Amino acid sequence: MIKKSPVFEGDKDTRNRILDTATKLFALRGFKAVTLKDLAKEVGVKPPAIYNHYRDKETLIEDILLRFELVFRGYHDWLSRANGKAETLEDMMDNLFNDKF
């Protein structure tokens, strides 16, 4: 099954607000301490709205982790491009900060 990638933009659609808020709450309180009811209250929606997007907390954390993976891959690719064109560490640092790769 191919999953739809979670969106990163800070737009105002409910799914993104849920992901953004859940990421923050899980980081601050821990995964087990946050209920979907807590999340709904923080997002400003009723609990059924959460269930319209996510079956449970486990599917929600999967999307959060996928977001982190996509960000990591983006940075990894960026570093790889900079490193691939550099002959010295100084060249690599210049590439990274000047986007000359």
Side-chain angles (χ1 to χ4, degrees):
M1 179 172 115
I2 297 174
K3 278 188 78 164
K4 179 181 172 190
S5 293
V7 185
F8 291 90
E9 296 83 28
D11 60 34
K12 300 198 189 270
D13 78 310
T14 303
R15 187 166 182 257
N16 280 319
R17 289 191 357 248
I18 291 168
L19 283 170
D20 293 341
T21 305
T23 301
K24 178 182 78 174
L25 290 178
F26 293 160
L28 292 173
R29 299 184 197 166
F31 180 74
K32 289 183 178 182
V34 177
T35 66
L36 290 179
K37 185 177 178 182
D38 297 333
L39 177 59
K41 182 178 179 182
E42 193 75 22
V43 172
V45 297
K46 295 183 187 275
I50 303 292
Y51 291 104
N52 285 337
H53 299 277
Y54 294 98
R55 178 177 61 241
D56 50 32
K57 283 196 324 186
E58 287 72 21
T59 56
L60 177 56
I61 196 74
E62 287 174 6
D63 265 4
I64 290 170
L65 293 173
L66 180 58
R67 268 184 164 188
F68 284 117
E69 178 186 2
L70 294 172
V71 168
F72 173 79
R73 285 179 189 266
Y75 282 121
H76 178 268
D77 292 347
W78 178 63
L79 289 170
S80 294
R81 287 192 311 272
N83 190 35
K85 304 243 178 178
E87 294 182 21
T88 66
L89 179 60
E90 185 177 348
D91 289 343
M92 187 174 96
M93 296 305 286
D94 285 344
N95 289 344
L96 289 172
F97 292 107
N98 297 319
D99 288 332
K100 292 181 181 177
F101 50 93

